[in-house]
Amino acid sequence: MTVRPTVALSLLVVVLGAFASAQSDTDDGNYRFQTRPPLPDASVMPTLANGNIGFVAYGEYVHLNGVYNGLRGKSHRARIPNYGNIQLTACSPSSPGGVADTCIYQLNMRTGKFVTVEETGDYRLVHEMYPHRYYDTVLVNRIRIQRLGSTNTITARLSQIPGLQAADFTWQPSTEFVMGGQLYKSQCGVTVQVEEPTVQAFGHNVCVTYPAIPETVQIEPDTMASEFLFCTAFTMTEEDGRRQLEVVTGLTGAQEETLHMREMDRLWERYGISVERNDELDRVIKASAFYLFSSLPAHQVAASSGRYPFYGLAPAGLGRGGIEEQEYQGHSFWDTEIWMYPSILLMDPINAAKVLSYRTTVIGGARMNAMKHGFEGIQFPWESAFTGTEVTPDCCPEVADFQHHITADIVFAARQYFYATGNTDWLKSHGCRLAADSSLFWLSRASYNNATDLYDIHNAMGPDEDHPNVSNNAFTNVMAAHNLFFGEFASCYCRDQTVNETVRRELLQVARGLTLLYDAAGDFHPQFEGYQPGTPIKQADTVLLIYPLQHPMNVSTKANNLRQYSQVTRENGPAMTWAIHTIGHLELGEVQQAATMFDKSYRQYLRAPFNVWSENGNNEPGAGNFITGAGGFLQSLINGYAGVRLHQDRLEIKNARLPPDTRSLHLPTVEYRGVLFALTVNETGIKVAIRVEGQPDLKLTVDGTERPICKDCEYEGTTAIIQQTKDQIFEGCRLRPTTLGVKVADQTDAAPALRTTALAFLSLIVCSLLSKMF
């Protein structure tokens, strides 16, 4: 059928201003990526998401936050037919007549839209597709027709291409209703298989509510330009979808777009890192930030009666993961807290808290996981989805069995959040339980070593997945110590009755007594017990002690760790390794080596034409939209070149340097303890421009001179520190420094009773003495 603009009702908004404003050149061109036909493979098509709905541009399926189907390791993001996949037929890859050579495809990251343009001498058709940032259950399609040279009726053909009703749902018969003169359909279903029957009693309800799409839209000879709006809602109930569409279609096009752009602006105000004099790098940065924050929710969204809380970040984002054993099935890994989260934390603590809230939402599954394996407290699984239970596929048992550092990784992120915000309300409501119960896991996980008078962690796997079932992996042990110290502090602050004073003393004893291997002759930390120098590894592992763990060590040890492992790391390893090596070399002042690693960290992992991150380098296949790599890359800028480092009592900016071939590096927002400031690195040093003064009891020093923290104040120098002036004691509780390798006998405030293994050791000594006496 044909819909004419005079009867399109709520679907039509007459363009009052200049039509070309949607394609305005006032936007920075580095936000836009475009190509001509043919479109690339779906694996490198851009992902569009808003924290609640996600999909691949022109993709036939949508994924919803928190909605999974499949039992245990088969759990994956449920595939929902994308009735919002509307295309200009002339530009559709599935067009029977082939794609017109007048088509252009553009990803506009500034507006969060995928744009298709067909332009001839007679007319211009512009199709925008985007998940709405404020109405986050709605996918918008806007089609604009502008008359150029023609004086005739101009008609545009449309195609609606949803995927088949996949086996992820049991679908009910569709229903229809009319709203504002427009026919709508609603398709509802429930996921077929729950993830873990002992935790999840029911499947997920999903309803897709969408308008009947006409075969054509057109304008008459007396009309210069018109706009057609088609909105599709993805909700839990039909009523929710109808209500949401009633609101959105009741707006003018300008109102709807203003609400969307308000939230996009808020995100770019925080994530809009930029460099000057290197457009190629600037475009990489913008793509990395866009693909990362796209899977995060907006700061403000429209009210909805049915929406899951934010369900974390998967390596391939929200728009991918709907097929078993592909693109990580939408599961959350350590990628979230170690690779994506640090960049979010200092730019966007609101969303950093939401990332952490996913783990506390599914903490029951982690508790069940610990019980299943005979441990105390909570043990987060290697792969987590809806229930928080283990959902690692059957293909990869080693990672689930041994890669336990993820529990400490999550608590490390929580600890960093407390450093950055000082939010004691969050600590009481969420952080204490997370920190205390996870510390009990490590208490039961560590074992006393009679020979060394230290504690070991056996049957482990560090980030280097080429070496399972090892003892005393350096990264795991340092992370576990961080967890134990934070658990001791949090349980003290919250007056935990389970983790009482006696248990807290035991936590301190084990934390300090954890083994950290050190080779004195080579002045480096062996990756694990029995590691032989020169043994190949998969990715960054022990070098993570330099950053993000910032473990105290001699400069020579840092250098030897970095050189020892950089020489044996797989060339085709993930991008994050080279980002960490970049930061390590910068810390050592090795600028040229850092530049080499920096280039290596992104160039081979980006896929044209939309700068989509891929998991593997050198054009090897891997997960698309790999925001894990994007997160690591952004850390190399924020924590590497910009020199930003977070500590327990301060935020430091030092050793800042310009990225290769740039004139400036600009971070529009860094937030620490409520202080909001922009940071610019230039050829002579840094500039700090304060926008919000933040919490009291802070002082700012620039190049060693104290400066006022005041709105609109700007300071230039080479180093800056925002320091807390109060002693870091909270209701009598202090977070102690993470110190490892202290023998139990040398600990002055050791627990009054040693652990069972230590008691057994003492018993052996007593028995030996008694046997000699008689």
Side-chain angles (χ1 to χ4, degrees), residues 156-174:
R157 300 191 65 83
L158 305 180
S159 300
Q160 183 184 37
I161 311 175
L164 298 175
Q165 292 188 349
D168 291 341
F169 289 89
T170 299
W171 295 101
Q172 302 168 4
S174 62

Side-chain angles (χ1 to χ4, degrees), residues 9 17 72-73 96 102 145 236 267 269 279 308 311 340 413 453 496 509-510 567 587 598 603 624 643 650 759 772:
L9 299 174
R72 300 187 182 98
T102 51
I145 306 178
M236 290 184 177
L267 286 165
E269 284 170 4
D279 282 349
Y308 287 114
Y311 255 74
M340 307 175 206
D453 195 26
D496 192 288
Q509 175 182 294
V510 175
Q567 294 170 4
E587 181 154 323
F598 182 66
R603 195 175 299 278
R650 68 195 184 280
L759 286 170
K772 293 179 180 179

Side-chain angles (χ1 to χ4, degrees), residues 71-120:
L71 181 66
R72 300 187 182 98
K74 295 185 180 297
S75 174
H76 58 273
R77 292 200 191 279
R79 293 162 294 172
I80 305 162
N82 185 4
Y83 290 97
N85 184 26
I86 300 167
Q87 302 172 15
L88 298 177
T89 302
C91 300
S92 172
S94 59
S95 174
V99 178
D101 58 10
T102 51
C103 294
I104 297 174
Y105 309 96
Q106 181 187 96
L107 175 66
N108 188 329
M109 294 184 172
R110 182 66 187 81
T111 61
K113 300 175 180 180
F114 190 77
V115 184
T116 304
V117 180
E118 184 198 5
E119 183 170 345
T120 69

Side-chain angles (χ1 to χ4, degrees), residues 125 188 239 287 348 389 445 565 676:
L125 303 178
C188 297
E239 292 74 21
D348 186 5
T389 57
R445 186 71 175 76
Y565 296 106
L676 267 71

Side-chain angles (χ1 to χ4, degrees), residues 474-673:
F475 175 82
T476 300
N477 285 21
V478 175
M479 266 297 188
H482 275 297
N483 194 159
L484 287 159
F485 280 113
F486 192 53
E488 188 275 335
F489 162 72
S491 57
C492 173
Y493 178 72
C494 290
R495 303 297 187 263
D496 192 288
Q497 297 303 307
T498 301
V499 186
N500 55 32
E501 184 177 356
T502 300
V503 178
R504 289 199 300 273
R505 290 170 69 86
E506 197 174 358
L507 295 178
L508 289 177
Q509 175 182 294
V510 175
R512 290 175 178 147
L514 280 172
T515 299
L516 179 58
L517 300 171
Y518 175 69
D519 184 311
D523 187 22
F524 79 103
H525 293 290
Q527 184 173 292
F528 52 82
E529 211 165 84
Y531 176 81
Q532 296 298 315
T535 302
I537 64 172
K538 177 183 177 181
Q539 64 187 74
D541 191 311
T542 302
V543 295
L544 295 166
L545 269 60
I546 303 172
Y547 174 87
L549 295 185
Q550 301 186 94
H551 189 73
M553 66 183 87
N554 293 331
V555 172
S556 61
T557 310
K558 291 180 184 179
N560 289 329
N561 280 347
L562 189 58
R563 293 184 184 115
Q564 177 81 241
Y565 296 106
S566 64
Q567 294 170 4
V568 296
T569 302
R570 278 195 212 170
E571 281 297 316
N572 65 347
M576 310 87 68
T577 287
W578 317 123
I580 289 299
H581 287 191
T582 300
I583 297 171
H585 284 300
L586 287 170
E587 181 154 323
L588 294 168
E590 299 171 347
V591 178
Q592 187 53 54
Q593 293 95 319
T596 300
M597 289 296 104
F598 182 66
D599 186 80
K600 193 174 182 178
S601 75
Y602 71 87
R603 195 175 299 278
Q604 61 178 318
Y605 298 95
L606 292 174
R607 300 292 182 264
F610 300 109
N611 266 19
V612 173
W613 278 83
S614 179
E615 179 182 17
N616 295 325
N618 300 322
N619 288 316
E620 294 181 16
N625 194 48
F626 192 58
I627 57 176
T628 302
F633 169 75
L634 291 174
Q635 286 186 67
S636 71
L637 289 163
I638 299 166
N639 308 107
Y641 283 104
V644 178
R645 294 299 177 89
L646 180 63
H647 300 276
Q648 180 178 341
D649 62 347
R650 68 195 184 280
L651 182 78
E652 292 184 345
I653 304 163
K654 62 180 184 180
N655 298 325
R657 297 178 176 86
L658 285 174
D661 304 318
T662 63
R663 186 169 56 199
S664 72
L665 166 62
H666 181 66
L667 278 59
T669 298
V670 180
E671 183 169 349
Y672 174 73
R673 300 277 175 148

